[in-house]
Amino acid sequence: MNFVHPAAATCAMLVLYILFTMNVGRMRVRHKIDAPATIGHPEFELACRVQANTLERLIVALPALWIYAYTFSSKWALAAAAVWVVGRIIYAFCYMKEPNWRGAGMLITF
């Protein structure tokens, strides 16, 4: 098995999660919300939900990625992960703008 494709996909997925985590920190500073508070300004709360929901999806997506890459095709696993990353970006932008618009991104990453 070629580990390059699933490893690259894993890196992309984790970098996206790190960016979402950094956004939570940025919102915490912008809205002066001291740790360990997880409520405060709505923009901060939305960023927290994007990050937490992405972590919840990563728990399922990463093992599925590696199992699929090992069992079937590492290239198709990479393609699926790319779609997942794009879906998460769509989810984040939509959710931060209007939470009710999160459906498309959520479906893509489901």
Side-chain angles (χ1 to χ4, degrees):
M1 178 181 138
N2 181 355
F3 290 109
V4 172
H5 297 114
T10 298
C11 287
M13 294 163 83
L14 294 176
V15 165
L16 183 66
Y17 177 72
I18 290 166
L19 291 173
F20 290 164
T21 302
M22 291 170 62
N23 190 46
V24 172
R26 189 171 63 92
M27 292 299 150
R28 186 178 288 281
V29 170
R30 175 186 288 173
H31 299 295
K32 298 176 177 65
I33 300 170
D34 296 328
T38 57
I39 58 171
H41 192 278
E43 192 175 37
F44 168 72
E45 293 176 18
L46 291 171
C48 282
R49 283 306 313 145
V50 167
Q51 182 222 13
N53 188 268
T54 299
L55 179 59
E56 293 163 4
R57 298 288 182 199
L58 270 174
I59 292 168
V60 174
L62 285 174
L65 166 80
W66 282 90
I67 291 167
Y68 188 87
Y70 182 78
T71 306
F72 298 106
S73 168
S74 65
K75 289 180 182 176
W76 281 107
L78 175 62
V83 170
W84 189 91
V85 167
V86 170
R88 282 280 100 187
I89 292 168
I90 292 168
Y91 172 85
F93 278 110
C94 291
Y95 196 78
M96 292 294 292
K97 189 156 185 86
E98 172 57 52
N100 291 330
W101 296 349
R102 71 188 186 279
M106 190 171 63
L107 286 174
I108 292 169
T109 61
F110 191 71

